[in-house]
Amino acid sequence: AQKITQTQPGMFVQEKEAVTLDCTYDTSDPSYGLFWYKQPSSGEMIFLIYQGSYDQQNATEGRYSLNFQKARKSANLVISASQLGDSAMYFCAMRTRDSNYQLIWGAGTKLIIKP
Amino acid sequence: ETGVTQTPRHLVMGMTNKKSLKCEQHLGHNAMYWYKQSAKKPLELMFVYSLEERVENNSVPSRFSPECPNSSHLFLHLHTLQPEDSALYLCASSQSGQLNTEAFFGQGTRLTVV
């Protein structure tokens, strides 16, 4: 079965601290892509970062980095120097050939940044 | 205009009404999607259109009827909905058949069925 698990329903973090959002995935397909999206209260899903299963290095995009541990099947999102505007829902998703290239979504983590 | 645009942003409808949600993308993508997002549940994929043909229908009730007249436009026709259909409906687009392509989303339509 293909599945994304996000075990943290909610998190509170002090502004300017780093935060790690957990994501584990399950697939038997050796080729897959992993994505993180941010959803503010306005509703729009905003793409943050992508990691391919064959990528040798962890992906980074500005303050976002992906801690990819293939053997443990984890793809945690790290946000450095958190800002108040980072408060949102965060979703981990996976795309595989076996899923017919459709995104498989986790339940999300609600992140609240405290001033 | 760029990106994915959804209209309306908010919709309140009675159970006997007929309404339509509209989605438009100007990104040159060849696949479009409807998702349903209910509170405290993962996103549910409803329909997928690739090259204007419906390629996936995840057991969605017939009171939801999609239409894709061309690669840039996607509609979701609603009729005789139930209160449990109240949710955020998100449209997305991407290039089909690629693992590394991100999906771009509209801002969603927040639907309330009364």
Side-chain angles (χ1 to χ4, degrees):
Chain A
Q2 302 186 94
K3 190 177 178 182
I4 293 284
T5 302
Q6 294 181 254
T7 58
Q8 305 153 309
M11 288 186 72
F12 287 89
V13 172
Q14 201 69 38
E15 189 181 8
K16 298 181 185 177
E17 290 184 350
V19 56
T20 298
L21 304 180
D22 295 340
C23 172
T24 57
Y25 60 92
D26 189 14
T27 180
S28 57
D29 192 336
S31 298
Y32 51 88
L34 297 161
F35 301 80
W36 276 93
Y37 282 84
K38 172 184 178 182
Q39 187 180 37
S41 57
S42 59
E44 183 180 3
M45 284 283 197
I46 302 166
F47 165 72
L48 295 178
I49 195 166
Y50 165 82
Q51 181 85 43
S53 59
Y54 297 113
D55 292 344
Q56 296 295 314
Q57 293 189 326
N58 288 341
T60 59
E61 289 286 349
R63 293 187 299 114
Y64 303 109
S65 61
L66 202 152
N67 184 0
F68 182 44
Q69 299 189 37
K70 195 169 183 176
R72 297 178 61 184
K73 292 190 173 181
S74 76
N76 297 340
L77 177 71
V78 180
I79 306 174
S80 63
S82 58
Q83 302 170 357
L84 296 178
D86 293 332
S87 295
M89 285 290 293
Y90 288 81
F91 292 92
C92 180
M94 173 175 67
R95 200 193 291 275
T96 73
R97 293 172 304 185
D98 289 349
S99 71
N100 202 24
Y101 298 93
Q102 307 313 327
L103 286 166
I104 301 163
W105 295 86
T109 296
K110 184 166 186 174
L111 175 65
I112 297 175
I113 307 298
K114 299 182 292 183
Chain B
E1 190 175 347
T2 59
V4 181
T5 305
Q6 284 186 248
T7 55
R9 292 291 310 280
H10 300 272
L11 179 62
V12 180
M13 60 185 289
M15 290 189 283
T16 58
N17 290 159
K18 288 185 180 181
K19 296 286 184 183
S20 295
L21 309 185
K22 179 183 176 182
C23 178
E24 193 172 348
Q25 61 99 0
H26 298 280
L27 300 167
H29 291 157
N30 59 11
M32 296 187 76
Y33 313 81
W34 280 117
Y35 285 91
K36 177 184 179 182
Q37 187 178 29
S38 304
K40 299 182 181 178
K41 292 176 78 174
L43 264 72
E44 300 172 52
L45 181 62
M46 300 175 73
F47 301 104
V48 180
Y49 276 83
S50 179
L51 299 172
E52 299 163 38
E53 286 191 20
R54 191 190 311 180
V55 296
E56 197 149 333
N57 175 349
N58 284 344
S59 304
V60 179
S62 59
R63 56 186 183 269
F64 295 91
S65 174
E67 179 189 1
C68 187
N70 55 61
S71 60
S72 300
H73 294 86
L74 184 66
F75 296 89
L76 187 63
H77 304 301
L78 317 171
H79 63 97
T80 60
L81 294 191
Q82 303 298 310
E84 60 264 29
D85 297 322
S86 298
L88 180 68
Y89 288 84
L90 290 163
C91 173
S93 71
S94 73
Q95 283 299 113
S96 65
Q98 297 179 22
L99 287 176
N100 63 347
T101 179
E102 69 265 35
F104 289 79
F105 285 80
Q107 290 190 297
T109 296
R110 201 165 291 278
L111 174 67
T112 303
V113 181
V114 297

XYZ file of all heavy atoms in Angstrom, chain B residues 18-114:
777
model
N -28.752 23.902 -8.347
C -27.719 23.468 -9.291
C -26.735 24.618 -9.442
O -27.144 25.750 -9.733
C -28.318 23.140 -10.663
C -29.130 21.877 -10.729
C -29.559 21.614 -12.161
C -30.389 20.350 -12.262
N -30.796 20.066 -13.661
N -25.472 24.328 -9.267
C -24.441 25.347 -9.420
C -23.231 24.716 -10.083
O -23.116 23.484 -10.165
C -24.016 25.908 -8.056
C -25.107 26.646 -7.293
C -25.371 28.006 -7.901
C -26.398 28.771 -7.051
N -26.731 30.083 -7.659
N -22.303 25.567 -10.539
C -21.069 25.076 -11.151
C -19.866 25.815 -10.590
O -19.925 27.024 -10.371
C -21.114 25.256 -12.667
O -22.120 24.469 -13.246
N -18.796 25.068 -10.379
C -17.512 25.649 -10.023
C -16.658 25.705 -11.290
O -16.690 24.787 -12.111
C -16.807 24.793 -8.965
C -17.594 24.418 -7.720
C -16.697 23.684 -6.729
C -18.252 25.622 -7.092
N -15.875 26.779 -11.386
C -15.050 26.964 -12.580
C -13.588 27.044 -12.198
O -13.230 27.618 -11.171
C -15.463 28.242 -13.301
C -14.655 28.545 -14.562
C -15.081 29.858 -15.184
C -14.210 30.201 -16.384
N -14.589 31.511 -16.981
N -12.748 26.463 -13.050
C -11.300 26.502 -12.856
C -10.641 26.806 -14.195
O -11.044 26.248 -15.231
C -10.804 25.170 -12.304
S -9.015 25.077 -12.086
N -9.633 27.654 -14.156
C -8.942 28.062 -15.374
C -7.444 28.094 -15.097
O -7.013 28.593 -14.064
C -9.435 29.460 -15.768
C -9.065 29.927 -17.136
C -9.773 31.237 -17.508
O -10.715 31.634 -16.793
O -9.365 31.848 -18.508
N -6.656 27.531 -16.010
C -5.208 27.579 -15.834
C -4.548 28.098 -17.114
O -4.963 27.772 -18.216
C -4.648 26.202 -15.445
C -4.870 25.077 -16.442
C -3.675 24.790 -17.344
O -2.623 25.437 -17.240
N -3.824 23.809 -18.222
N -3.517 28.900 -16.904
C -2.774 29.504 -18.007
C -1.305 29.122 -17.913
O -0.426 29.945 -18.149
C -2.955 31.024 -17.969
C -4.376 31.458 -18.150
N -4.986 31.541 -19.378
C -5.331 31.796 -17.232
C -6.237 31.929 -19.212
N -6.480 32.094 -17.932
N -1.054 27.885 -17.520
C 0.311 27.413 -17.329
C 0.756 26.444 -18.423
O 1.860 25.921 -18.356
C 0.425 26.728 -15.948
C 0.100 27.643 -14.758
C -0.074 26.837 -13.480
C 1.189 28.685 -14.583
N -0.126 26.177 -19.369
C 0.218 25.247 -20.439
C 0.231 23.795 -20.012
O 0.792 22.942 -20.704
N -0.387 23.485 -18.877
C -0.420 22.101 -18.383
C -1.447 21.267 -19.146
O -2.426 21.796 -19.685
C -0.758 22.083 -16.889
C 0.330 22.645 -16.042
N 0.093 23.160 -14.780
C 1.658 22.766 -16.247
C 1.230 23.573 -14.272
N 2.203 23.354 -15.134
N -1.209 19.956 -19.158
C -2.132 19.086 -19.886
C -2.967 18.198 -18.963
O -3.678 17.310 -19.426
C -1.365 18.215 -20.893
C -0.316 17.342 -20.219
O -0.266 17.213 -19.000
N 0.523 16.731 -21.029
N -2.886 18.424 -17.659
C -3.696 17.655 -16.716
C -4.330 18.605 -15.710
O -3.695 19.573 -15.267
C -2.851 16.617 -15.979
N -5.584 18.336 -15.380
C -6.295 19.150 -14.386
C -7.026 18.232 -13.417
O -7.437 17.118 -13.797
C -7.261 20.127 -15.064
C -6.544 21.159 -15.933
S -7.614 22.433 -16.589
C -7.874 23.464 -15.129
N -7.213 18.715 -12.199
C -7.705 17.880 -11.112
C -8.737 18.632 -10.278
O -8.633 19.851 -10.098
C -6.555 17.508 -10.165
C -5.304 17.016 -10.823
C -4.370 17.909 -11.359
C -5.016 15.655 -10.898
C -3.210 17.461 -11.957
C -3.845 15.196 -11.488
C -2.955 16.113 -12.015
O -1.793 15.661 -12.612
N -9.694 17.881 -9.741
C -10.568 18.374 -8.669
C -10.268 17.584 -7.406
O -10.240 16.341 -7.419
C -12.042 18.204 -9.019
C -12.604 19.250 -9.925
C -13.105 19.073 -11.171
C -12.756 20.654 -9.646
N -13.541 20.269 -11.701
C -13.341 21.254 -10.785
C -12.453 21.473 -8.553
C -13.629 22.611 -10.865
C -12.735 22.832 -8.637
C -13.313 23.387 -9.781
N -10.063 18.331 -6.302
C -9.888 17.735 -4.987
C -10.972 18.252 -4.056
O -11.412 19.395 -4.168
C -8.548 18.153 -4.367
C -7.320 17.489 -4.922
C -6.613 18.063 -5.987
C -6.821 16.311 -4.373
C -5.463 17.474 -6.476
C -5.684 15.716 -4.855
C -5.007 16.306 -5.906
O -3.852 15.725 -6.400
N -11.320 17.420 -3.070
C -12.203 17.837 -1.983
C -11.387 17.827 -0.701
O -10.666 16.861 -0.412
C -13.386 16.874 -1.845
C -14.315 17.188 -0.681
C -15.414 16.138 -0.550
C -16.320 16.445 0.621
N -17.370 15.401 0.807
N -11.487 18.913 0.070
C -10.780 18.979 1.347
C -11.790 19.244 2.457
O -12.315 20.357 2.581
C -9.706 20.066 1.331
C -8.841 20.056 2.582
C -7.742 21.098 2.552
O -7.880 22.144 1.928
N -6.641 20.822 3.228
N -12.053 18.222 3.252
C -12.925 18.365 4.423
C -12.049 18.560 5.652
O -10.877 18.199 5.661
C -13.788 17.106 4.592
O -14.531 16.847 3.422
N -12.659 19.108 6.702
C -11.901 19.380 7.922
C -11.316 18.087 8.488
O -11.995 17.064 8.544
C -12.801 20.052 8.945
N -10.046 18.161 8.850
C -9.362 17.060 9.540
C -9.287 15.776 8.719
O -9.234 14.678 9.280
C -10.015 16.783 10.901
C -9.961 17.981 11.832
C -10.559 17.690 13.203
C -10.487 18.928 14.080
N -11.089 18.710 15.406
N -9.296 15.902 7.409
C -9.146 14.748 6.524
C -8.132 15.085 5.450
O -7.988 16.245 5.060
C -10.496 14.384 5.875
C -11.520 13.842 6.834
C -12.858 13.606 6.147
C -12.894 12.357 5.341
N -14.247 12.076 4.809
N -7.386 14.069 4.966
C -6.454 14.335 3.856
C -7.225 14.779 2.617
O -8.426 14.529 2.497
C -5.782 12.972 3.630
C -6.019 12.194 4.860
C -7.312 12.678 5.427
N -6.491 15.403 1.708
C -7.119 15.777 0.443
C -7.638 14.537 -0.267
O -6.961 13.516 -0.326
C -6.100 16.468 -0.464
C -6.081 17.986 -0.442
C -5.484 18.469 0.855
C -5.293 18.536 -1.607
N -8.833 14.654 -0.812
C -9.425 13.548 -1.562
C -9.447 13.905 -3.041
O -10.070 14.899 -3.423
C -10.863 13.305 -1.080
C -11.003 12.958 0.381
C -12.466 12.931 0.802
O -13.246 12.229 0.123
O -12.823 13.614 1.772
N -8.780 13.088 -3.839
C -8.806 13.294 -5.281
C -10.155 12.855 -5.824
O -10.593 11.721 -5.591
C -7.685 12.492 -5.944
C -7.566 12.614 -7.459
C -7.254 14.041 -7.882
C -6.486 11.659 -7.975
N -10.815 13.750 -6.530
C -12.135 13.443 -7.082
C -12.022 13.022 -8.546
O -12.464 11.940 -8.920
C -13.050 14.644 -6.955
C -13.288 15.127 -5.543
S -14.269 16.627 -5.500
C -15.897 15.998 -5.925
N -11.495 13.897 -9.362
C -11.431 13.649 -10.805
C -10.084 14.100 -11.350
O -9.488 15.049 -10.857
C -12.532 14.423 -11.545
C -13.927 14.092 -11.117
C -14.633 14.964 -10.302
C -14.541 12.922 -11.531
C -15.928 14.672 -9.903
C -15.830 12.618 -11.139
C -16.523 13.497 -10.321
N -9.643 13.399 -12.394
C -8.435 13.777 -13.113
C -8.752 13.819 -14.594
O -9.364 12.885 -15.125
C -7.287 12.764 -12.891
C -6.045 13.197 -13.667
C -6.977 12.609 -11.424
N -8.364 14.891 -15.233
C -8.450 14.990 -16.691
C -7.038 15.122 -17.232
O -6.257 15.961 -16.774
C -9.281 16.202 -17.122
C -10.760 15.935 -17.136
C -11.509 16.020 -15.966
C -11.416 15.596 -18.312
C -12.872 15.766 -15.971
C -12.774 15.351 -18.330
C -13.493 15.437 -17.155
O -14.846 15.187 -17.169
N -6.693 14.277 -18.186
C -5.413 14.356 -18.854
C -5.668 14.455 -20.352
O -6.377 13.617 -20.913
C -4.562 13.121 -18.545
O -3.322 13.181 -19.221
N -5.124 15.499 -20.963
C -5.360 15.742 -22.392
C -6.860 15.757 -22.690
O -7.333 15.202 -23.670
C -4.643 14.687 -23.244
C -3.118 14.659 -23.083
C -2.513 13.473 -23.794
C -2.513 15.951 -23.587
N -7.603 16.376 -21.767
C -9.045 16.627 -21.891
C -9.889 15.361 -21.785
O -11.105 15.410 -22.004
C -9.348 17.370 -23.203
C -8.644 18.731 -23.265
C -8.581 19.294 -24.667
O -9.563 19.124 -25.405
O -7.557 19.899 -25.016
N -9.267 14.253 -21.431
C -10.052 13.036 -21.205
C -10.026 12.685 -19.722
O -8.989 12.780 -19.070
C -9.471 11.867 -22.006
C -9.747 11.947 -23.491
C -9.383 10.656 -24.190
O -9.280 9.608 -23.535
O -9.201 10.709 -25.416
N -11.182 12.253 -19.202
C -11.222 11.888 -17.793
C -10.486 10.566 -17.609
O -10.835 9.552 -18.225
C -12.660 11.746 -17.315
C -12.762 11.631 -15.790
C -14.139 11.247 -15.322
N -15.199 12.028 -15.893
C -16.497 11.830 -15.601
N -16.836 10.897 -14.763
N -17.425 12.572 -16.167
N -9.466 10.570 -16.787
C -8.676 9.360 -16.593
C -8.858 8.756 -15.212
O -8.422 7.649 -14.951
C -7.169 9.620 -16.842
C -6.951 10.014 -18.293
C -6.637 10.692 -15.918
N -9.513 9.484 -14.333
C -9.715 8.940 -13.006
C -10.978 9.535 -12.390
O -11.243 10.719 -12.500
C -8.522 9.251 -12.097
C -8.461 8.404 -10.846
C -7.043 8.156 -10.371
O -6.104 8.165 -11.191
O -6.872 7.930 -9.170
N -11.745 8.676 -11.754
C -12.958 9.080 -11.053
C -13.006 8.242 -9.790
O -13.311 7.055 -9.845
C -14.186 8.838 -11.927
C -15.494 9.136 -11.200
O -15.520 9.339 -9.994
N -16.577 9.151 -11.934
N -12.664 8.841 -8.674
C -12.501 8.064 -7.450
C -13.820 7.880 -6.709
O -14.016 8.400 -5.624
C -11.466 8.742 -6.548
C -10.066 8.500 -7.047
O -9.828 7.620 -7.854
N -9.126 9.297 -6.582
N -14.715 7.129 -7.321
C -15.975 6.756 -6.668
C -16.718 7.965 -6.142
O -17.223 7.960 -5.005
C -15.702 5.770 -5.510
O -15.016 4.647 -5.968
N -16.760 8.981 -6.966
C -17.452 10.206 -6.564
C -18.942 10.072 -6.899
O -19.285 9.604 -7.986
C -16.846 11.417 -7.305
C -17.564 12.694 -6.922
C -15.352 11.523 -7.002
N -19.821 10.487 -5.982
C -21.261 10.394 -6.272
C -21.647 11.159 -7.529
O -21.024 12.175 -7.879
C -21.909 11.020 -5.027
C -20.883 10.917 -3.961
C -19.558 11.003 -4.641
N -22.676 10.706 -8.183
C -23.071 11.294 -9.470
C -23.626 12.706 -9.332
O -23.808 13.387 -10.349
C -24.113 10.397 -10.150
O -25.256 10.262 -9.319
N -23.856 13.159 -8.112
C -24.315 14.541 -7.948
C -23.178 15.537 -8.235
O -23.404 16.738 -8.298
C -24.888 14.755 -6.549
C -23.960 14.423 -5.401
C -24.715 14.542 -4.066
N -23.873 14.311 -2.912
C -23.704 13.119 -2.349
N -24.319 12.061 -2.851
N -22.918 12.992 -1.294
N -21.960 15.018 -8.388
C -20.831 15.816 -8.858
C -20.535 15.392 -10.297
O -20.269 14.209 -10.562
C -19.590 15.567 -7.998
C -19.718 16.010 -6.581
C -20.180 15.137 -5.606
C -19.382 17.301 -6.209
C -20.293 15.536 -4.287
C -19.491 17.715 -4.892
C -19.957 16.834 -3.928
N -20.518 16.368 -11.207
C -20.318 16.048 -12.615
C -19.247 16.973 -13.190
O -19.461 18.173 -13.307
C -21.636 16.228 -13.370
O -21.450 16.065 -14.747
N -18.075 16.437 -13.556
C -17.027 17.293 -14.098
C -17.182 17.495 -15.596
O -17.819 16.715 -16.293
C -15.758 16.484 -13.791
C -16.204 15.063 -13.902
C -17.640 15.028 -13.433
N -16.552 18.576 -16.061
C -16.534 18.860 -17.498
C -15.220 19.546 -17.830
O -14.807 20.466 -17.126
C -17.701 19.771 -17.886
C -17.729 20.141 -19.362
C -18.750 21.213 -19.690
O -19.433 21.694 -18.765
O -18.829 21.598 -20.869
N -14.565 19.103 -18.890
C -13.289 19.693 -19.302
C -13.377 20.014 -20.792
O -13.020 19.180 -21.627
C -12.147 18.730 -19.014
S -10.502 19.425 -19.308
N -13.855 21.191 -21.154
C -14.053 21.527 -22.567
C -12.758 21.719 -23.343
O -12.734 21.517 -24.557
C -14.860 22.831 -22.507
C -14.522 23.427 -21.182
C -14.272 22.277 -20.261
N -11.685 22.087 -22.645
C -10.364 22.233 -23.277
C -9.298 22.129 -22.177
O -9.625 22.065 -20.997
C -10.258 23.552 -24.051
C -10.581 24.753 -23.198
O -9.909 25.006 -22.201
N -11.629 25.482 -23.571
N -8.053 22.177 -22.563
C -6.980 21.917 -21.589
C -6.811 23.036 -20.575
O -6.103 22.870 -19.591
C -5.661 21.693 -22.333
O -5.329 22.842 -23.099
N -7.462 24.167 -20.798
C -7.297 25.293 -19.876
C -8.453 25.454 -18.906
O -8.348 26.236 -17.974
C -7.139 26.614 -20.661
O -6.012 26.572 -21.492
N -9.548 24.782 -19.141
C -10.744 24.993 -18.336
C -11.298 23.686 -17.781
O -11.316 22.669 -18.467
C -11.831 25.688 -19.177
C -11.473 27.083 -19.583
N -10.734 27.343 -20.721
C -11.721 28.280 -18.989
C -10.558 28.652 -20.823
N -11.140 29.241 -19.795
N -11.784 23.792 -16.555
C -12.364 22.630 -15.870
C -13.542 23.127 -15.047
O -13.448 24.154 -14.380
C -11.319 21.971 -14.970
C -11.708 20.691 -14.254
C -11.945 19.563 -15.251
C -10.629 20.294 -13.253
N -14.642 22.390 -15.139
C -15.835 22.737 -14.377
C -16.225 21.576 -13.469
O -15.912 20.415 -13.758
C -17.005 23.059 -15.320
C -16.794 24.269 -16.182
C -16.188 24.149 -17.431
C -17.193 25.519 -15.752
C -15.990 25.260 -18.231
C -17.001 26.641 -16.548
C -16.395 26.505 -17.795
N -16.910 21.907 -12.403
C -17.523 20.894 -11.555
C -18.980 21.301 -11.349
O -19.268 22.300 -10.692
C -16.798 20.776 -10.205
C -17.240 19.633 -9.312
C -16.971 18.282 -9.975
C -16.540 19.694 -7.949
N -19.869 20.549 -11.974
C -21.300 20.833 -11.886
C -21.884 20.125 -10.672
O -21.620 18.936 -10.452
C -22.006 20.388 -13.166
C -21.434 21.004 -14.415
N -21.394 22.375 -14.611
C -20.865 20.438 -15.513
C -20.847 22.632 -15.785
N -20.503 21.480 -16.354
N -22.642 20.864 -9.903
C -23.180 20.367 -8.634
C -24.712 20.364 -8.678
O -25.319 21.345 -9.123
C -22.730 21.272 -7.482
C -21.270 21.731 -7.480
C -21.044 22.788 -6.407
C -20.346 20.537 -7.286
N -25.316 19.262 -8.244
C -26.782 19.251 -8.151
C -27.237 18.295 -7.061
O -26.635 17.238 -6.850
C -27.418 18.893 -9.505
C -27.065 17.516 -9.982
N -27.905 16.428 -9.785
C -25.985 17.034 -10.626
C -27.348 15.349 -10.326
N -26.181 15.690 -10.830
N -28.280 18.700 -6.372
C -28.869 17.942 -5.247
C -27.806 17.478 -4.272
O -27.712 16.293 -3.929
C -29.721 16.754 -5.738
O -28.907 15.856 -6.504
C -30.880 17.237 -6.560
N -26.975 18.428 -3.809
C -25.920 18.083 -2.870
C -26.494 17.860 -1.470
O -27.630 18.252 -1.166
C -24.866 19.185 -2.832
C -24.057 19.400 -4.105
C -22.873 20.322 -3.830
C -23.559 18.083 -4.696
N -25.659 17.250 -0.634
C -26.001 16.972 0.745
C -25.158 17.851 1.673
O -24.070 18.298 1.282
C -25.726 15.492 1.058
C -26.464 14.528 0.132
C -27.967 14.680 0.248
O -28.519 14.673 1.336
N -28.642 14.833 -0.886
N -25.607 18.069 2.900
C -24.809 18.895 3.833
C -23.378 18.369 4.019
O -22.454 19.169 4.181
C -25.608 18.826 5.137
C -27.023 18.649 4.680
C -26.933 17.757 3.461
N -23.184 17.068 3.934
C -21.832 16.519 4.118
C -20.905 16.820 2.933
O -19.699 16.544 2.993
C -21.879 14.997 4.351
C -22.504 14.198 3.220
C -23.979 13.896 3.464
O -24.649 14.695 4.144
O -24.440 12.847 2.951
N -21.459 17.394 1.878
C -20.631 17.823 0.749
C -19.989 19.187 0.988
O -19.171 19.644 0.180
C -21.461 17.876 -0.539
C -21.993 16.512 -0.940
O -21.263 15.508 -0.765
O -23.151 16.442 -1.413
N -20.355 19.833 2.086
C -19.740 21.109 2.442
C -18.253 20.882 2.685
O -17.865 20.013 3.477
C -20.389 21.685 3.698
O -21.764 21.947 3.487
N -17.417 21.656 1.974
C -15.965 21.454 2.034
C -15.291 22.533 1.202
O -15.950 23.355 0.557
C -15.584 20.069 1.494
N -13.968 22.491 1.200
C -13.177 23.320 0.294
C -12.877 22.488 -0.944
O -12.353 21.372 -0.827
C -11.878 23.765 0.967
C -10.939 24.643 0.137
C -11.559 26.012 -0.110
C -9.592 24.786 0.840
N -13.223 23.006 -2.113
C -12.964 22.289 -3.364
C -11.814 22.986 -4.073
O -11.876 24.179 -4.388
C -14.229 22.242 -4.228
C -15.245 21.295 -3.625
C -16.106 21.726 -2.623
C -15.296 19.956 -4.012
C -17.014 20.848 -2.029
C -16.190 19.075 -3.433
C -17.045 19.530 -2.438
O -17.927 18.660 -1.843
N -10.763 22.211 -4.304
C -9.546 22.737 -4.901
C -9.345 22.191 -6.299
O -9.508 20.989 -6.541
C -8.330 22.362 -4.040
C -8.208 23.066 -2.689
C -7.252 22.330 -1.784
C -7.768 24.503 -2.876
N -8.979 23.085 -7.187
C -8.606 22.703 -8.550
C -7.085 22.793 -8.664
O -6.456 23.656 -8.033
C -9.269 23.655 -9.541
S -8.759 23.430 -11.256
N -6.497 21.909 -9.444
C -5.052 21.929 -9.656
C -4.738 21.560 -11.089
O -5.561 20.947 -11.788
C -4.348 20.971 -8.703
N -3.530 21.925 -11.506
C -3.069 21.513 -12.830
C -1.602 21.125 -12.756
O -0.881 21.551 -11.850
C -3.264 22.638 -13.854
O -2.358 23.705 -13.619
N -1.174 20.292 -13.702
C 0.226 19.892 -13.780
C 0.476 19.280 -15.151
O -0.442 19.134 -15.960
C 0.572 18.886 -12.677
O -0.001 17.617 -12.951
N 1.723 18.897 -15.394
C 2.043 18.107 -16.581
C 1.869 16.640 -16.202
O 2.366 16.196 -15.167
C 3.483 18.353 -17.032
C 3.647 19.669 -17.767
C 2.819 19.746 -19.035
O 1.880 20.529 -19.113
N 3.154 18.928 -20.008
N 1.167 15.893 -17.017
C 0.854 14.506 -16.654
C 2.038 13.590 -16.966
O 2.888 13.905 -17.797
C -0.384 14.022 -17.413
O -0.116 13.982 -18.801
N 2.082 12.465 -16.247
C 3.064 11.430 -16.542
C 4.481 11.730 -16.108
O 5.428 11.106 -16.602
N 4.658 12.674 -15.197
C 6.003 12.998 -14.733
C 6.041 12.941 -13.214
O 5.153 13.456 -12.543
C 6.405 14.390 -15.214
C 6.484 14.520 -16.727
C 6.850 15.920 -17.167
O 7.419 16.692 -16.400
N 6.533 16.255 -18.401
N 7.093 12.329 -12.669
C 7.200 12.214 -11.218
C 7.581 13.523 -10.555
O 7.183 13.785 -9.423
C 8.240 11.152 -10.857
C 7.862 9.690 -11.074
C 9.049 8.797 -10.744
C 6.643 9.296 -10.250
N 8.369 14.341 -11.248
C 8.970 15.492 -10.582
C 8.218 16.797 -10.813
O 8.726 17.858 -10.476
C 10.416 15.665 -11.043
C 10.507 15.965 -12.529
O 9.529 15.819 -13.255
N 11.665 16.373 -12.983
N 7.020 16.715 -11.355
C 6.302 17.951 -11.648
C 5.354 18.283 -10.517
O 4.557 17.446 -10.082
C 5.540 17.831 -12.985
O 4.832 19.034 -13.226
C 4.555 16.683 -12.975
N 5.450 19.515 -10.026
C 4.550 19.899 -8.946
C 3.196 20.275 -9.524
O 3.088 20.668 -10.682
C 5.105 21.062 -8.124
C 5.166 22.394 -8.843
C 6.516 22.664 -9.460
O 7.169 21.688 -9.925
O 6.917 23.833 -9.486
N 2.182 20.139 -8.715
C 0.844 20.585 -9.080
C 0.664 22.014 -8.584
O 1.127 22.382 -7.511
C -0.211 19.673 -8.454
N 0.011 22.811 -9.430
C -0.308 24.187 -9.057
C -1.797 24.248 -8.729
O -2.617 23.735 -9.484
C 0.024 25.138 -10.209
C 1.492 25.314 -10.433
C 2.229 24.355 -11.116
C 2.156 26.421 -9.948
C 3.587 24.497 -11.331
C 3.521 26.579 -10.159
C 4.231 25.619 -10.843
N -2.113 24.913 -7.630
C -3.476 24.932 -7.127
C -4.107 26.308 -7.233
O -3.420 27.331 -7.122
C -3.499 24.521 -5.653
C -3.305 23.056 -5.429
C -2.043 22.493 -5.470
C -4.396 22.230 -5.173
C -1.860 21.135 -5.267
C -4.224 20.870 -4.976
C -2.954 20.325 -5.022
N -5.422 26.301 -7.385
C -6.195 27.511 -7.223
C -6.449 27.784 -5.752
O -6.050 26.998 -4.881
N -7.129 28.881 -5.465
C -7.380 29.261 -4.071
C -8.573 28.553 -3.473
O -8.830 28.680 -2.282
C -7.545 30.778 -3.967
C -6.238 31.532 -4.205
C -6.352 32.989 -3.866
O -7.126 33.711 -4.488
N -5.593 33.443 -2.896
N -9.272 27.790 -4.303
C -10.351 26.961 -3.787
C -11.697 27.666 -3.745
O -11.793 28.895 -3.757
N -12.729 26.860 -3.737
C -14.099 27.330 -3.510
C -14.583 26.721 -2.213
O -14.616 25.492 -2.077
C -15.037 26.894 -4.650
O -14.644 27.510 -5.872
C -16.474 27.279 -4.323
N -14.948 27.591 -1.281
C -15.474 27.081 -0.004
C -16.983 26.939 -0.145
O -17.709 27.924 -0.262
C -15.119 28.027 1.133
C -15.157 27.361 2.500
C -14.457 28.191 3.566
N -13.014 28.267 3.408
C -12.151 27.341 3.820
N -12.595 26.234 4.378
N -10.860 27.515 3.665
N -17.437 25.699 -0.171
C -18.844 25.383 -0.437
C -19.563 25.026 0.843
O -19.080 24.203 1.638
C -18.937 24.206 -1.414
C -20.331 23.641 -1.687
C -21.182 24.655 -2.427
C -20.248 22.346 -2.469
N -20.707 25.648 1.036
C -21.580 25.312 2.164
C -22.928 24.892 1.610
O -23.552 25.654 0.851
C -21.755 26.505 3.109
O -20.475 26.935 3.568
C -22.608 26.121 4.315
N -23.374 23.710 1.968
C -24.672 23.201 1.525
C -25.636 23.294 2.701
O -25.360 22.741 3.787
C -24.569 21.754 1.033
C -25.935 21.252 0.553
C -23.543 21.642 -0.081
N -26.733 24.001 2.494
C -27.672 24.207 3.596
C -29.016 23.515 3.302
O -29.322 23.180 2.170
C -27.894 25.705 3.880
C -26.599 26.352 4.329
C -28.440 26.405 2.635
